[in-house]
Amino acid sequence: MFPKPKALLVPNTYAFESEPMVKPTGFREYDARWLFNKEINLMGVQALGMGLGALIAELGVKQEIVTGHDFRGYSASIKYALISGLMAAGCRVHDIGLAVTPMAYFAQFELDVPCVAMVTASHNDNGWTGVKMGANRPLTFGPDEMSRLKQIVLNAEFTGKVGGSYQFHENFPARYIADLTKRPKLKRKLKVVAACGNGTAGAFAPQVLEAIGCEVVPLDTELDHTFPKYNPNPEDMEMLHAIRDAVLAHKADVGLGFDGDGDRCGVVDNTGEEIFADKVGVMLARDMSAIHRDAQFVVDVKSTGLFMTDPVLQKQGARTVYWKTGHSYMKRRTNELGALAGFEKSGHFFFNRPLGRGYDDGLVSAIAICEMLDRAPGKSMADLKNALPKTWSSPTMSPHCADEAKYGVVDAVVKHFETLQRQGGRVAGQPIRDLVTVNGVRVTVEDGSWGLVRASSNKPELVVVVESPVSEQRMRDMFEAMDSVLRTHPEVGAYNQKI
């Protein structure tokens, strides 16, 4: 028997050390995130492991699983608590040690293991922890599996089961690096800034880029789980500005920034200007569809409208489907459609063969960008970016909104715009041309300017993105229009960053 988890326990008490604590809101749409010791304790993590083991058995999958952990001061202890729960549920555990998340996905293929549980808080601030899970490579869990896992864990619907075992795979990163670098070296000499924000990718990114033929300028690649400079998140302007400064100082061809668990890649061009990941996706789609005729791509609803309107993509026969934001949703849709690649504005890119195995890996994305430059020897990164039709895009902006309230707010915002469209109302002074409600609401007006509001899948926040093909002022008009609707909801707080 194992105690049923409590939603809240107070640290430094007998109960905190004797009972599992698991806050229900930590079970997100496609992974799990908690504030360690505030929303989950080590016994709670143990309960999560037991529940995951039980779910794997329930799904009819062999109870064999890869584990790894990111570089945070508490991640190893969380992983071992998770492992104890997995073993108690009868799982055979393959531990690859300190790893970037895509290394754990790679291990599923390399070790022929069906399941994965990677301990990582991804790009969240220190204090957060979480687990990215899957039982059907290269996919990770979606809402159905996460809902069932939540039910099993919170109701303690598990029993001990003999047969669990543990194996540590020594020097596993060497196998991952060898797999990434077994390709022809670049013909073009590229100088690349590799920025890791002192996160996990610092242990691997520089040597991978050097092995494919780049001259690497390392930036904050020393592992330091206090993240002394900034949080390793290539969507945050602070990290992008640090990359910009390094690119200009070293006259680099490109700057590549990796998030805390290495499954995303941010890009700064040779002039020091950041290129938002959806625009990088358009550039890669142009490059790939020139080689693979009639290529299909999947992009998330936060991404630029250029995927549909770019004349080069149209000429090359490329087709694009817009889908739900979130690495699990995008991975699944890219896999279902057999698309050549999937691109998410946050920087999660999913390459199917010949470039990848369908999962998101920031280093595979970095290699794809370098190979794109290699195929355009007379052009700089800025040249490739400037060849795209001009649009004005915002970064991802996130106003605070409690997990308990955010989905209700988004439902109300969706209904507001649906009603407005029915009544022939205007947004930012223009009629609504199109509404996409597959994930929140994406409102496109007559001149092609659009704004998106959706709930963050892994933090107590909303997500707001705006873009205009007309002017910066029209982009700002769309932001004011979207924000004015949000301001009618007192649950919506301050933004992390704004245009």
PDB file of all heavy atoms in Angstrom, residues 342-360:
ATOM      1  N   GLY A 342       7.840  19.505 -38.881  1.00  0.00           N
ATOM      2  CA  GLY A 342       6.898  20.352 -38.162  1.00  0.00           C
ATOM      3  C   GLY A 342       7.667  21.481 -37.515  1.00  0.00           C
ATOM      4  O   GLY A 342       8.782  21.273 -37.026  1.00  0.00           O
ATOM      5  N   PHE A 343       7.083  22.684 -37.511  1.00  0.00           N
ATOM      6  CA  PHE A 343       7.753  23.852 -36.940  1.00  0.00           C
ATOM      7  C   PHE A 343       6.821  24.538 -35.948  1.00  0.00           C
ATOM      8  O   PHE A 343       5.676  24.845 -36.279  1.00  0.00           O
ATOM      9  CB  PHE A 343       8.139  24.853 -38.035  1.00  0.00           C
ATOM     10  CG  PHE A 343       9.027  24.279 -39.105  1.00  0.00           C
ATOM     11  CD1 PHE A 343       8.547  24.092 -40.396  1.00  0.00           C
ATOM     12  CD2 PHE A 343      10.335  23.931 -38.835  1.00  0.00           C
ATOM     13  CE1 PHE A 343       9.360  23.575 -41.398  1.00  0.00           C
ATOM     14  CE2 PHE A 343      11.163  23.404 -39.824  1.00  0.00           C
ATOM     15  CZ  PHE A 343      10.678  23.231 -41.108  1.00  0.00           C
ATOM     16  N   GLU A 344       7.334  24.796 -34.755  1.00  0.00           N
ATOM     17  CA  GLU A 344       6.554  25.474 -33.721  1.00  0.00           C
ATOM     18  C   GLU A 344       7.241  26.795 -33.386  1.00  0.00           C
ATOM     19  O   GLU A 344       8.473  26.850 -33.303  1.00  0.00           O
ATOM     20  CB  GLU A 344       6.464  24.589 -32.477  1.00  0.00           C
ATOM     21  CG  GLU A 344       5.445  25.052 -31.477  1.00  0.00           C
ATOM     22  CD  GLU A 344       5.352  24.133 -30.262  1.00  0.00           C
ATOM     23  OE1 GLU A 344       6.191  23.226 -30.114  1.00  0.00           O
ATOM     24  OE2 GLU A 344       4.448  24.351 -29.450  1.00  0.00           O
ATOM     25  N   LYS A 345       6.471  27.853 -33.186  1.00  0.00           N
ATOM     26  CA  LYS A 345       7.048  29.185 -32.955  1.00  0.00           C
ATOM     27  C   LYS A 345       7.963  29.219 -31.739  1.00  0.00           C
ATOM     28  O   LYS A 345       8.883  30.028 -31.665  1.00  0.00           O
ATOM     29  CB  LYS A 345       5.944  30.238 -32.824  1.00  0.00           C
ATOM     30  CG  LYS A 345       6.490  31.673 -32.748  1.00  0.00           C
ATOM     31  CD  LYS A 345       5.387  32.699 -32.640  1.00  0.00           C
ATOM     32  CE  LYS A 345       5.917  34.073 -32.302  1.00  0.00           C
ATOM     33  NZ  LYS A 345       6.626  34.734 -33.389  1.00  0.00           N
ATOM     34  N   SER A 346       7.730  28.347 -30.773  1.00  0.00           N
ATOM     35  CA  SER A 346       8.579  28.320 -29.579  1.00  0.00           C
ATOM     36  C   SER A 346       9.983  27.791 -29.876  1.00  0.00           C
ATOM     37  O   SER A 346      10.877  27.921 -29.050  1.00  0.00           O
ATOM     38  CB  SER A 346       7.935  27.445 -28.500  1.00  0.00           C
ATOM     39  OG  SER A 346       7.899  26.102 -28.936  1.00  0.00           O
ATOM     40  N   GLY A 347      10.177  27.173 -31.061  1.00  0.00           N
ATOM     41  CA  GLY A 347      11.492  26.633 -31.405  1.00  0.00           C
ATOM     42  C   GLY A 347      11.568  25.126 -31.366  1.00  0.00           C
ATOM     43  O   GLY A 347      12.618  24.554 -31.643  1.00  0.00           O
ATOM     44  N   HIS A 348      10.463  24.441 -31.010  1.00  0.00           N
ATOM     45  CA  HIS A 348      10.420  22.979 -31.161  1.00  0.00           C
ATOM     46  C   HIS A 348      10.248  22.669 -32.654  1.00  0.00           C
ATOM     47  O   HIS A 348       9.241  23.036 -33.255  1.00  0.00           O
ATOM     48  CB  HIS A 348       9.233  22.378 -30.403  1.00  0.00           C
ATOM     49  CG  HIS A 348       9.370  22.368 -28.920  1.00  0.00           C
ATOM     50  ND1 HIS A 348      10.082  21.413 -28.243  1.00  0.00           N
ATOM     51  CD2 HIS A 348       8.864  23.200 -27.970  1.00  0.00           C
ATOM     52  CE1 HIS A 348      10.013  21.643 -26.938  1.00  0.00           C
ATOM     53  NE2 HIS A 348       9.279  22.726 -26.752  1.00  0.00           N
ATOM     54  N   PHE A 349      11.229  22.003 -33.248  1.00  0.00           N
ATOM     55  CA  PHE A 349      11.141  21.571 -34.645  1.00  0.00           C
ATOM     56  C   PHE A 349      11.175  20.054 -34.683  1.00  0.00           C
ATOM     57  O   PHE A 349      11.925  19.430 -33.934  1.00  0.00           O
ATOM     58  CB  PHE A 349      12.317  22.115 -35.471  1.00  0.00           C
ATOM     59  CG  PHE A 349      12.313  23.613 -35.683  1.00  0.00           C
ATOM     60  CD1 PHE A 349      13.416  24.234 -36.253  1.00  0.00           C
ATOM     61  CD2 PHE A 349      11.232  24.407 -35.337  1.00  0.00           C
ATOM     62  CE1 PHE A 349      13.442  25.605 -36.466  1.00  0.00           C
ATOM     63  CE2 PHE A 349      11.239  25.776 -35.542  1.00  0.00           C
ATOM     64  CZ  PHE A 349      12.348  26.376 -36.109  1.00  0.00           C
ATOM     65  N   PHE A 350      10.396  19.471 -35.577  1.00  0.00           N
ATOM     66  CA  PHE A 350      10.255  18.016 -35.661  1.00  0.00           C
ATOM     67  C   PHE A 350      10.600  17.582 -37.077  1.00  0.00           C
ATOM     68  O   PHE A 350       9.851  17.881 -38.011  1.00  0.00           O
ATOM     69  CB  PHE A 350       8.824  17.603 -35.309  1.00  0.00           C
ATOM     70  CG  PHE A 350       8.301  18.294 -34.080  1.00  0.00           C
ATOM     71  CD1 PHE A 350       7.696  19.538 -34.181  1.00  0.00           C
ATOM     72  CD2 PHE A 350       8.445  17.722 -32.831  1.00  0.00           C
ATOM     73  CE1 PHE A 350       7.244  20.199 -33.052  1.00  0.00           C
ATOM     74  CE2 PHE A 350       7.990  18.376 -31.705  1.00  0.00           C
ATOM     75  CZ  PHE A 350       7.389  19.619 -31.807  1.00  0.00           C
ATOM     76  N   PHE A 351      11.711  16.911 -37.238  1.00  0.00           N
ATOM     77  CA  PHE A 351      12.142  16.468 -38.565  1.00  0.00           C
ATOM     78  C   PHE A 351      11.943  14.966 -38.692  1.00  0.00           C
ATOM     79  O   PHE A 351      12.468  14.200 -37.866  1.00  0.00           O
ATOM     80  CB  PHE A 351      13.615  16.802 -38.792  1.00  0.00           C
ATOM     81  CG  PHE A 351      13.911  18.282 -38.804  1.00  0.00           C
ATOM     82  CD1 PHE A 351      14.406  18.922 -37.681  1.00  0.00           C
ATOM     83  CD2 PHE A 351      13.683  19.031 -39.944  1.00  0.00           C
ATOM     84  CE1 PHE A 351      14.680  20.280 -37.691  1.00  0.00           C
ATOM     85  CE2 PHE A 351      13.951  20.394 -39.972  1.00  0.00           C
ATOM     86  CZ  PHE A 351      14.454  21.024 -38.838  1.00  0.00           C
ATOM     87  N   ASN A 352      11.182  14.568 -39.694  1.00  0.00           N
ATOM     88  CA  ASN A 352      11.128  13.148 -40.037  1.00  0.00           C
ATOM     89  C   ASN A 352      12.303  12.833 -40.962  1.00  0.00           C
ATOM     90  O   ASN A 352      13.096  13.706 -41.299  1.00  0.00           O
ATOM     91  CB  ASN A 352       9.788  12.809 -40.683  1.00  0.00           C
ATOM     92  CG  ASN A 352       8.699  12.599 -39.626  1.00  0.00           C
ATOM     93  OD1 ASN A 352       8.962  12.038 -38.562  1.00  0.00           O
ATOM     94  ND2 ASN A 352       7.488  13.056 -39.909  1.00  0.00           N
ATOM     95  N   ARG A 353      12.444  11.585 -41.332  1.00  0.00           N
ATOM     96  CA  ARG A 353      13.561  11.214 -42.192  1.00  0.00           C
ATOM     97  C   ARG A 353      13.505  12.001 -43.495  1.00  0.00           C
ATOM     98  O   ARG A 353      12.429  12.323 -43.960  1.00  0.00           O
ATOM     99  CB  ARG A 353      13.532   9.692 -42.460  1.00  0.00           C
ATOM    100  CG  ARG A 353      13.773   8.884 -41.178  1.00  0.00           C
ATOM    101  CD  ARG A 353      14.355   7.512 -41.463  1.00  0.00           C
ATOM    102  NE  ARG A 353      14.650   6.798 -40.238  1.00  0.00           N
ATOM    103  CZ  ARG A 353      15.740   6.995 -39.481  1.00  0.00           C
ATOM    104  NH1 ARG A 353      16.645   7.884 -39.846  1.00  0.00           N
ATOM    105  NH2 ARG A 353      15.936   6.292 -38.388  1.00  0.00           N
ATOM    106  N   PRO A 354      14.649  12.414 -44.068  1.00  0.00           N
ATOM    107  CA  PRO A 354      15.981  11.872 -43.762  1.00  0.00           C
ATOM    108  C   PRO A 354      16.743  12.590 -42.646  1.00  0.00           C
ATOM    109  O   PRO A 354      17.814  12.142 -42.253  1.00  0.00           O
ATOM    110  CB  PRO A 354      16.718  12.068 -45.088  1.00  0.00           C
ATOM    111  CG  PRO A 354      16.105  13.313 -45.659  1.00  0.00           C
ATOM    112  CD  PRO A 354      14.657  13.262 -45.263  1.00  0.00           C
ATOM    113  N   LEU A 355      16.202  13.695 -42.093  1.00  0.00           N
ATOM    114  CA  LEU A 355      17.000  14.473 -41.143  1.00  0.00           C
ATOM    115  C   LEU A 355      16.860  14.002 -39.701  1.00  0.00           C
ATOM    116  O   LEU A 355      17.801  14.076 -38.915  1.00  0.00           O
ATOM    117  CB  LEU A 355      16.629  15.953 -41.244  1.00  0.00           C
ATOM    118  CG  LEU A 355      17.646  16.945 -40.687  1.00  0.00           C
ATOM    119  CD1 LEU A 355      18.994  16.819 -41.374  1.00  0.00           C
ATOM    120  CD2 LEU A 355      17.126  18.375 -40.829  1.00  0.00           C
ATOM    121  N   GLY A 356      15.682  13.497 -39.325  1.00  0.00           N
ATOM    122  CA  GLY A 356      15.472  13.120 -37.926  1.00  0.00           C
ATOM    123  C   GLY A 356      14.535  11.945 -37.791  1.00  0.00           C
ATOM    124  O   GLY A 356      14.133  11.329 -38.782  1.00  0.00           O
ATOM    125  N   ARG A 357      14.145  11.652 -36.546  1.00  0.00           N
ATOM    126  CA  ARG A 357      13.263  10.519 -36.250  1.00  0.00           C
ATOM    127  C   ARG A 357      11.884  10.974 -35.784  1.00  0.00           C
ATOM    128  O   ARG A 357      11.137  10.184 -35.223  1.00  0.00           O
ATOM    129  CB  ARG A 357      13.897   9.627 -35.170  1.00  0.00           C
ATOM    130  CG  ARG A 357      15.197   8.955 -35.581  1.00  0.00           C
ATOM    131  CD  ARG A 357      15.724   8.085 -34.429  1.00  0.00           C
ATOM    132  NE  ARG A 357      16.944   7.391 -34.795  1.00  0.00           N
ATOM    133  CZ  ARG A 357      18.169   7.917 -34.718  1.00  0.00           C
ATOM    134  NH1 ARG A 357      18.318   9.173 -34.294  1.00  0.00           N
ATOM    135  NH2 ARG A 357      19.230   7.220 -35.043  1.00  0.00           N
ATOM    136  N   GLY A 358      11.574  12.244 -35.977  1.00  0.00           N
ATOM    137  CA  GLY A 358      10.230  12.726 -35.658  1.00  0.00           C
ATOM    138  C   GLY A 358      10.100  13.439 -34.338  1.00  0.00           C
ATOM    139  O   GLY A 358       9.080  14.061 -34.077  1.00  0.00           O
ATOM    140  N   TYR A 359      11.132  13.361 -33.470  1.00  0.00           N
ATOM    141  CA  TYR A 359      11.051  14.069 -32.189  1.00  0.00           C
ATOM    142  C   TYR A 359      11.815  15.389 -32.271  1.00  0.00           C
ATOM    143  O   TYR A 359      12.595  15.626 -33.193  1.00  0.00           O
ATOM    144  CB  TYR A 359      11.565  13.198 -31.030  1.00  0.00           C
ATOM    145  CG  TYR A 359      12.950  12.619 -31.222  1.00  0.00           C
ATOM    146  CD1 TYR A 359      14.092  13.399 -31.015  1.00  0.00           C
ATOM    147  CD2 TYR A 359      13.131  11.281 -31.573  1.00  0.00           C
ATOM    148  CE1 TYR A 359      15.365  12.863 -31.181  1.00  0.00           C
ATOM    149  CE2 TYR A 359      14.399  10.738 -31.741  1.00  0.00           C
ATOM    150  CZ  TYR A 359      15.508  11.531 -31.530  1.00  0.00           C
ATOM    151  OH  TYR A 359      16.767  11.005 -31.688  1.00  0.00           O
ATOM    152  N   ASP A 360      11.573  16.254 -31.293  1.00  0.00           N
ATOM    153  CA  ASP A 360      12.178  17.583 -31.258  1.00  0.00           C
ATOM    154  C   ASP A 360      13.572  17.519 -30.624  1.00  0.00           C
ATOM    155  O   ASP A 360      13.733  17.001 -29.537  1.00  0.00           O
ATOM    156  CB  ASP A 360      11.285  18.566 -30.496  1.00  0.00           C
ATOM    157  CG  ASP A 360      10.571  17.950 -29.306  1.00  0.00           C
ATOM    158  OD1 ASP A 360      10.427  16.714 -29.246  1.00  0.00           O
ATOM    159  OD2 ASP A 360      10.151  18.705 -28.410  1.00  0.00           O
TER     160      ASP A 360
END
